[in-house]
Amino acid sequence: MSTESPSEYTALETRSTADLLAGMNQLDHTVPDTVAKALPQIERLVEAVVARMEAGGRLFYIGAGTSGRLGVVDASECPPTFGVPASLVVGIMAGGDTAIRQAVEGAEDDAEQAWLDLQAYDINAKDVLVGIAASGRTPYVIGGLNKARAAGLATGCVVCNAGSAVAAAAEFPVEVVTGPEFITGSTRLKAGTAQKLVLNMLTTATFIRLGRVKGNKMVDMQLSNEKLVHRGEKMLMDELGIAEAEAAALLKQHGSVRAALHARS
């Protein structure tokens, strides 16, 4: 069954708040098991991204609506979490940055625009392009993947229907078949949750493989606020067995947890 199949829940407007929440929660519980079935596909995509990044490549996401916004979110969280340049993982939405907050009518129907949007980043054959589309039929994403694959890029996708045109356009497809939504066709629900889980896995596993985590610590995180500075100090206290004042001074001197640890090694 597809994401467009009729909801298993009917007469939603007559239900109590408690019943609505219980129904959504019940369906949400099915998502992790569905993602688990796609782990071999996710693994292949991670390995492709790692290989391209080791060779100097970057990761680009393209998508529309909820799918595009999820790509933008995942890309934007990589620099503060892993200390990587903002240019290493880039999220691009159909309709541009305006579409992050407000829908841009018809933007997802232009099969040529994604590749045009990517030209602003000097995209090349070292890079990886991942299309995100719950339905698996978004022209913006299909067109971008087709052009990228022809240009020698590694291509992947995250879709929530089986046998889609988006998956057919990608070298490393990830198909997480989530089935009918609580509200028929509202893929910001189960499908969006599944896509978020997959994107979490993709970039987290990639940057662990690339050495951006030590043990289980974000040693390259950006110290952009007081909470993260305190977290960094705690990491140094735990790793080096030092007092808080010494950890704070060491972190201030070296500017990152990794650099401070290296200085003491």
Side-chain angles (χ1 to χ4, degrees):
M1 300 179 76
S2 78
T3 55
E4 299 294 329
S5 297
S7 173
E8 300 167 6
Y9 296 80
T10 59
L12 297 181
E13 70 277 14
T14 69
R15 296 174 180 249
S16 68
T17 300
D19 195 19
L20 292 172
L21 298 178
M24 284 188 277
N25 182 247
Q26 185 176 14
L27 282 184
D28 285 343
H29 270 84
T30 68
V31 174
D33 287 341
T34 305
V35 172
K37 295 175 183 177
L39 288 178
Q41 293 182 323
I42 301 169
E43 179 185 3
R44 288 191 287 273
L45 181 55
V46 169
E47 295 294 340
V49 174
V50 169
R52 293 295 177 115
M53 284 192 173
E54 287 178 333
R58 301 161 293 173
L59 170 62
F60 289 86
Y61 293 132
I62 54 171
T66 297
S67 297
R69 294 183 188 101
L70 289 169
V72 171
V73 167
D74 191 67
S76 68
E77 291 175 347
C78 290
T81 305
F82 302 110
V84 298
S87 59
L88 193 57
V89 183
V90 178
I92 299 174
M93 274 202 70
D97 287 352
T98 299
I100 295 173
R101 295 182 180 275
Q102 184 174 345
V104 176
E105 293 298 328
E108 69 177 66
D109 297 327
D110 189 339
E112 304 298 324
Q113 189 59 47
W115 189 242
L116 294 175
D117 290 343
L118 288 162
Q119 300 315 298
Y121 299 89
D122 296 321
I123 197 163
N124 61 74
K126 290 183 179 180
D127 298 324
V128 182
L129 179 65
V130 173
I132 312 169
S135 68
R137 62 172 183 263
T138 308
Y140 181 85
V141 175
I142 297 167
L145 289 172
N146 283 332
K147 290 287 182 64
R149 197 166 181 178
L153 281 76
T155 53
C157 71
V158 183
V159 298
C160 296
N161 285 328
S164 70
V166 168
E171 184 180 1
F172 301 100
V174 175
E175 297 175 293
V176 185
V177 184
T178 50
E181 295 284 359
F182 186 70
I183 297 175
T184 299
S186 181
T187 52
R188 61 182 287 271
L189 300 175
K190 277 198 306 179
T193 300
Q195 289 173 318
K196 181 67 167 72
L197 292 175
V198 173
L199 298 180
N200 285 349
M201 291 178 175
L202 174 56
T203 46
T204 301
T206 291
F207 287 120
I208 291 173
R209 288 284 314 282
L210 292 172
R212 307 301 297 193
V213 172
K214 179 176 173 57
N216 58 10
K217 303 294 195 303
M218 298 186 293
V219 294
D220 291 316
M221 67 182 179
Q222 294 177 354
L223 304 174
S224 55
N225 58 51
E226 187 174 325
K227 176 190 71 176
L228 295 179
V229 171
H230 287 320
R231 183 181 297 168
E233 293 169 355
K234 183 66 165 55
M235 288 182 194
L236 294 177
M237 292 165 64
D238 291 344
E239 289 288 325
L240 301 175
I242 58 178
E244 183 176 357
E246 185 178 358
L250 196 61
L251 191 62
K252 185 175 181 180
Q253 178 185 357
H254 295 284
S256 79
V257 176
R258 183 184 294 278
L261 290 172
H262 181 73
R264 284 298 187 92
S265 63

